[in-house]
Amino acid sequence: MRIEFLELSNFRKLVAVRIDLARTTSLFVGANNSGKTSAMLALRYFLKDRGGFSTNDFTASHWRAINDVGVRWESGEDPPPSLKEWVSLLPTLDVWLHVEDGEFHRVSKLIPTLDWAGGRLGVRLRLEPDKIESLYKDYLESAKAAKSVSDAAAEAQDAAEPLEVWPVNMLDFLRRKLRKTKLDTHFIIRAYLLDPDQVKDPERGQAQPQTLPDDAVGETSDPFAGLIRIDDISAQRGFGRENEKGNVGETEGRRGDRRLSRQLRRYFGRHLDPTENPELEDLQALQAIAKAQNIFDARLKVSFDPALSEVQKLGYPGITDPKLTVSTRLRPTDGLNHDAAVQYELASGPNPDDTPLRLPEDFNGLGYQNLISMVFLLMSFRDGWMRVGKKKTGSGDEAATLEPLHLVLVEEPEVHLHAQVQQVFIRKAHEILRNHDDLRESKLHTTQLLVSTHSSHVAHEVAYSSLRYFRRMPKSEHQSVPFSAVVNLSTVFGEGDNTARFVTRYLRARHCDLFFADAAILVEGAAERMLVPHFIRLAENRYLAQCYVTLLEIGGSHAFRLRDLIEALGLPTLVISDLDAAIGEQGKQPTKTRPARDQGQVTLNPTLKKWIPKLTKIDDLMDTSGSAKEHQLREDHMYAARVAYPTAIPFEASPGTEVIPYTFEDALVLANLDFFSDESLDGGSLLKKVQQAVRSHQDHPNELSKALFKAICKGDKAEFVLDVLFLASDGQLSDLGFPSQGTTIEGKPSAQGSNAPEPMGGQQYLKAPTYIAEGLQWLGDRLRECKREVLQTGDNSVGDT
């Protein structure tokens, strides 16, 4: 048995999403504010805690409709209050199980009809009013009382501001808290059986949960009791010395308390305590405890005799009063009942008899505390599920009493961990949960691990097919606030596709943060990868430098392969590509050549031919306008891709003439002739050839273009770019030549100030080639528009919810 998929509706910005679960580990990835945390909280509220909701958990786009229910109730309009007017507004979680042959007896209470023959089973958990009449009566009484007070205040204050008295509206009513909120008082989770024949596939990224019949009857009991065991590790784990101040983990029961000493104490009490169901192996320990207790009692009696004798002089105890005595009760857990129960042993001295050097657990690094704590929790979850030690099920068939499915939720395991440890943990987590003799090869018991993360290192270690991408969506005609969709990345490319294999291997080979970015820039090679960040910092549109942009070196021959993935992620994307001009006769292999108009040249770049702008001839590419270089991503008006490739550059020294760069490198040279003509520059062979070409042909565009093409095609581009980076950066300022206070960009003073020194020794800042500057300008504008749409939202859509 396993969970096949979940459908979550009307919970925060998760209006209607389907989350397919992998058989072993599913990883929730996505940028901030994409809904990963909301999904984990919803699973905890519905499946584990069965409560804990607040009014902010209702989707913000439904708040007005919820308040409209209260308005209608106050107006006394027909029809009478009914659950039907709430149904479309209520948070729900549909859990779809896949049940194997031989497991039907476990799910007998979940079978919807006698015709069910196995396979898929569904249950809906819905947060709904318990008794609609009671909610109706309580709200009206409160609303009428509030209106009376407000009216009286308005008469007394004449034209003064009207007094707002609780409840202002239905949400305000439900939010009110005395001992508990009105939401807790009037709302309850009920379970409904679903029809497997009515399951629909998502449309445009949104789930299509089935509609329940009007006469559907729900149950308040937990439908998964005995079927699913649920454990979780929250993101707030309460490490460090803040515990001593009572800020985090003040009590053992608090969710954020993950100190190892307390975990060991709980584990010992549940699985190892010799006083709990003692066995023969516990006899020696119990005898030692009894002996210690007797010795201690005798010592206490001697020690307290003088004090008790002094009390007797005051007339107590009298003839009929009970006599005072002091006795101890030692339990095995007492030895662990302190924060120094767990210590870290340092290296001992040269003498083996030296006392070991030990420090409390607080003195270990937070990363190791987190790692050890999480691993120990996973082991504890597993052993609790398998009834290890003192929690054995007793006589009979133990396996039959265990839940067939163990669902474990882990939020942000990367907290405090450096990259390598993050990777080790996610690789081993599921293995730890299955490290039991009855689990390793068992098909009777399933463990499914759900992990949410912000770490590209964690994502790198999980199979591509296990990634579930939470995508931020703009508000639409149907949703008044931004919402989220969930993309199952295993289905983006279909089955057995060469592109899918390439993308999977590419992502596995690189630690890319594509799944956590606001936008992507795809570049041809190392030169662009090293210099584009420099151009972003120098760009006139400085907004781009404030955004989370990932830069991927993919190469012109492969960039188009990422198209399906980028469209699925909905990322605004700039593709910086070379022109790769070539010429050749019919039937012969084209050979690369210096770009020129009216020569019948074509591009060899697959991105330009297959993705954007889907043109082959160099003449057509030169005549293409800016809008034709864009491609709208499906129906989403915010998200688009744009290509930037070298275009014709007017030659100032020779009016009426132009030069067309072949690659990024010669475009860079042509955009910075003053820099490369500087005789003080000293670098490798390619830089010297470029300098010689610029100084020799600065007034002759055709000859300069030939010389650059010849030099760059045969030169070491990596060495060239490193030389440029070294010579163009001012050591007294930022790395990569990033502008600091007082620097000037193309004659414009920096926004950061004007008091810093100018670049020294002839060093200069590089200008971006025109086609790259235009592309970065487009991406910055697009991101500004996206941010405006996504962040224009209600309270419960802000933050990583």
Side-chain angles (χ1 to χ4, degrees):
M1 184 184 304
R2 63 183 175 87
I3 298 178
E4 186 177 349
F5 62 87
L6 307 164
E7 289 189 333
L8 183 59
S9 302
N10 301 329
F11 186 84
R12 302 192 181 184
K13 60 193 306 184
L14 303 175
V15 179
V17 298
R18 173 179 291 192
I19 307 174
D20 298 281
L21 299 193
R23 290 179 177 271
T24 56
T25 302
S26 301
L27 194 68
F28 294 175
V29 296
N32 289 325
N33 296 323
S34 62
K36 303 184 298 296
T37 301
S38 286
M40 299 294 275
L41 283 174
L43 295 179
R44 183 179 296 133
Y45 291 169
F46 277 112
L47 297 176
K48 189 173 189 292
D49 298 340
R50 289 190 62 80
F53 295 90
S54 74
T55 53
N56 288 331
D57 294 326
F58 288 88
T59 299
S61 59
H62 296 334
W63 288 0
R64 176 174 293 180
I66 292 173
N67 289 331
D68 288 344
V69 172
V71 172
R72 192 184 69 77
W73 285 1
E74 290 182 60
S75 68
E77 296 177 6
D78 290 331
S82 168
L83 184 61
K84 292 176 62 176
E85 58 189 332
W86 285 89
V87 166
S88 63
L89 312 174
L90 299 172
T92 65
L93 175 66
D94 294 356
V95 180
W96 288 96
L97 301 172
H98 181 82
V99 182
E100 303 288 349
D101 294 341
E103 296 181 316
F104 295 174
H105 64 286
R106 294 183 176 274
V107 295
S108 57
K109 62 183 179 180
L110 304 182
I111 296 176
T113 66
L114 295 177
D115 297 330
W116 184 77
R120 183 179 288 170
L121 274 181
V123 178
R124 172 167 298 169
L125 302 175
R126 185 169 71 190
L127 180 70
E128 62 182 45
D130 184 11
K131 297 178 180 178
I132 195 70
E133 297 81 6
S134 175
L135 174 61
Y136 174 76
K137 179 180 178 181
D138 195 0
Y139 176 75
L140 283 188
E141 289 178 353
S142 300
K144 289 178 180 178
K147 189 175 186 308
S148 299
V149 174
S150 297
D151 291 346
E155 292 178 4
Q157 297 175 7
D158 297 327
E161 282 290 322
L163 178 65
E164 285 194 351
V165 181
W166 175 87
V168 176
N169 50 41
M170 178 63 79
L171 279 173
D172 189 36
F173 169 78
L174 295 175
R175 195 177 289 124
R176 178 70 177 270
K177 185 171 185 179
L178 298 174
R179 285 190 297 271
K180 56 182 179 178
T181 66
K182 293 289 186 178
L183 183 67
D184 296 326
T185 301
H186 290 288
F187 280 67
I188 194 172
I189 295 176
R190 283 198 175 94
Y192 297 85
L193 301 185
L194 299 174
D195 185 354
D197 294 331
Q198 295 187 30
V199 173
K200 297 180 180 179
D201 292 332
E203 295 181 4
R204 297 181 179 179
Q206 293 294 286
Q208 305 296 313
Q210 62 185 258
T211 302
L212 293 174
D214 292 340
D215 60 350
V217 178
E219 295 289 338
T220 57
S221 59
D222 184 359
F224 301 115
L227 284 180
I228 306 177
R229 180 184 178 93
I230 303 165
D231 290 300
D232 71 298
I233 301 177
S234 63
Q236 300 299 323
R237 289 186 274 279
F239 297 118
R241 301 185 66 85
E242 65 269 22
N243 285 324
E244 298 176 7
K245 302 175 183 178
N247 295 330
V248 179
E250 196 171 276
T251 63
E252 282 195 36
R254 187 168 298 183
R255 183 178 300 278
D257 180 15
R258 302 298 188 193
R259 291 165 65 90
L260 187 57
S261 56
R262 291 180 172 88
Q263 291 182 44
L264 286 172
R265 186 160 59 248
R266 288 194 289 269
Y267 185 88
F268 182 87
R270 292 169 183 170
H271 303 290
L272 304 177
D273 190 348
T275 63
E276 182 78 17
N277 299 323
E279 300 173 349
L280 291 177
E281 293 84 353
D282 300 320
L283 181 61
Q284 186 176 0
L286 293 175
Q287 290 175 333
I289 292 172
K291 181 178 180 180
Q293 184 168 310
N294 291 334
I295 295 174
F296 197 20
D297 283 350
R299 177 58 184 162
L300 285 176
K301 183 177 181 180
V302 173
S303 300
F304 276 101
D305 266 346
L308 294 178
S309 298
E310 204 168 324
V311 172
Q312 291 176 3
K313 295 177 181 179
L314 301 177
Y316 183 90
I319 298 175
T320 60
D321 297 322
K323 185 179 180 180
L324 289 178
T325 187
V326 179
S327 180
T328 60
R329 185 188 177 197
L330 299 181
R331 290 184 56 84
T333 52
D334 295 341
L336 296 173
N337 196 21
H338 57 91
D339 289 341
V342 174
Q343 297 185 341
Y344 296 102
E345 188 167 321
L346 307 179
S348 302
N351 189 339
D353 296 329
D354 288 349
T355 302
L357 303 178
R358 294 171 179 167
L359 289 173
E361 64 173 309
D362 286 344
F363 284 76
N364 202 10
L366 294 180
Y368 282 115
Q369 288 188 53
N370 184 30
L371 177 64
I372 295 170
S373 174
M374 288 192 297
V375 169
F376 198 90
L377 279 171
L378 295 181
M379 293 189 298
S380 180
F381 295 160
R382 177 201 65 212
D383 292 347
W385 179 35
M386 300 309 294
R387 316 298 198 264
V388 170
K390 302 300 180 178
K391 293 298 181 181
K392 290 181 179 178
T393 55
S395 60
D397 184 6
E398 295 183 6
T401 65
L402 300 178
E403 301 88 347
L405 175 59
H406 188 198
L407 181 65
V408 179
L409 315 176
V410 179
E411 288 185 79
E412 301 176 23
E414 66 272 13
V415 175
H416 303 305
L417 301 184
H418 61 72
Q420 290 83 355
V421 180
Q422 294 176 29
Q423 293 172 294
V424 170
F425 173 80
I426 198 63
R427 281 201 306 265
K428 296 294 185 180
H430 191 268
E431 182 180 324
I432 292 170
L433 290 169
R434 300 293 293 179
N435 188 24
H436 188 279
D437 291 340
D438 295 334
L439 291 177
R440 293 188 186 95
E441 304 298 330
S442 173
K443 295 183 179 179
L444 298 176
H445 301 92
T446 303
T447 304
Q448 288 181 281
L449 174 64
L450 273 62
V451 180
S452 68
T453 185
H454 295 89
S455 170
S456 60
H457 302 285
V458 172
H460 177 270
E461 290 301 315
V462 175
Y464 177 78
S465 59
S466 298
L467 299 179
R468 303 295 179 262
Y469 178 75
F470 283 70
R471 175 181 172 183
R472 298 177 296 193
M473 304 292 289
K475 62 182 182 180
S476 64
E477 57 179 327
H478 303 295
Q479 297 295 333
S480 59
V481 298
F483 58 101
S484 292
V486 178
V487 181
N488 181 353
L489 295 184
S490 67
T491 64
V492 170
F493 299 102
E495 297 291 336
D497 185 81
N498 288 333
T499 296
R501 286 195 294 273
F502 169 80
V503 172
T504 301
R505 292 171 181 175
Y506 173 78
L507 295 177
R508 294 283 292 174
R510 299 184 61 86
H511 290 274
C512 75
D513 53 358
L514 190 64
F515 303 119
F516 309 95
D518 293 329
I521 299 177
L522 309 184
V523 298
E524 282 272 347
E528 294 95 320
R529 178 172 54 82
M530 287 187 279
L531 285 175
V532 165
H534 168 81
F535 299 144
I536 290 174
R537 292 290 298 270
L538 296 182
E540 184 173 343
N541 184 347
R542 295 183 179 275
Y543 181 75
L544 186 60
Q546 304 172 21
C547 300
Y548 305 122
V549 180
T550 184
L551 196 68
L552 297 183
E553 179 186 340
I554 188 68
S557 60
H558 293 295
F560 74 97
R561 297 184 186 276
L562 291 180
R563 173 180 176 175
D564 288 342
L565 176 60
I566 287 188
E567 289 190 3
L569 303 184
L571 290 178
T573 300
L574 174 65
V575 183
I576 298 177
S577 179
D578 287 342
L579 196 55
D580 294 339
I583 193 168
E585 299 179 7
Q586 185 70 25
K588 293 184 178 180
Q589 184 70 22
T591 56
K592 60 184 182 180
T593 186
R594 182 172 61 91
R597 292 182 187 267
D598 304 323
Q599 300 296 316
Q601 296 180 359
V602 296
T603 179
L604 299 178
N605 193 317
T607 296
L608 302 180
K609 294 190 293 183
K610 297 182 180 182
W611 187 3
I612 318 169
K614 290 187 177 180
L615 295 174
T616 300
K617 296 180 179 180
I618 295 297
D619 291 337
D620 294 338
L621 289 169
M622 291 301 102
D623 294 335
T624 299
S625 64
S627 59
K629 296 177 182 178
E630 297 181 29
H631 172 66
Q632 194 70 38
L633 296 188
R634 297 179 183 174
E635 69 281 353
D636 299 333
H637 70 277
M638 286 200 316
Y639 302 107
R642 186 190 190 280
V643 70
Y645 54 84
T647 55
I649 301 174
F651 209 77
E652 297 180 0
S654 180
T657 61
E658 64 181 20
V659 178
I660 305 176
Y662 181 85
T663 64
F664 165 74
E665 287 79 11
D666 49 341
L668 178 69
V669 173
L670 292 169
N672 296 274
L673 291 176
D674 291 342
F675 173 84
F676 287 101
S677 63
D678 189 342
E679 296 183 1
S680 65
L681 299 181
D682 184 24
S685 60
L686 180 54
L687 179 59
K688 292 178 180 178
K689 291 179 181 179
V690 167
Q691 289 177 280
Q692 180 62 37
V694 171
R695 288 197 292 266
S696 301
H697 308 294
Q698 196 161 2
D699 297 329
H700 303 87
N702 192 49
E703 296 301 320
L704 175 59
S705 178
K706 288 180 181 179
L708 291 177
F709 177 76
K710 181 178 179 181
I712 291 174
C713 284
K714 296 181 179 180
D716 187 338
K717 295 182 181 180
E719 180 189 54
F720 171 73
V721 173
L722 290 173
D723 286 339
V724 170
L725 279 173
F726 174 75
L727 295 169
S729 330
D730 183 359
Q732 295 185 358
L733 303 177
S734 308
D735 292 336
L736 298 180
F738 291 170
S740 178
Q741 290 189 358
T743 60
T744 302
I745 305 170
E746 300 183 24
K748 300 176 183 178
S750 167
Q752 299 182 9
S754 57
N755 298 320
E758 292 294 326
M760 299 173 60
Q763 296 169 332
Q764 304 174 42
Y765 292 113
L766 296 173
K767 298 177 184 178
T770 301
Y771 73 98
I772 292 180
E774 291 175 351
L776 295 177
Q777 177 69 37
W778 172 87
L779 186 60
D781 293 342
R782 178 65 62 172
L783 275 173
R784 190 185 296 275
E785 180 183 351
C786 292
K787 288 287 188 181
R788 188 181 304 115
E789 291 284 346
V790 170
L791 296 181
Q792 205 172 32
T793 179
D795 292 344
N796 72 336
S797 296
V798 177
D800 191 13
T801 57

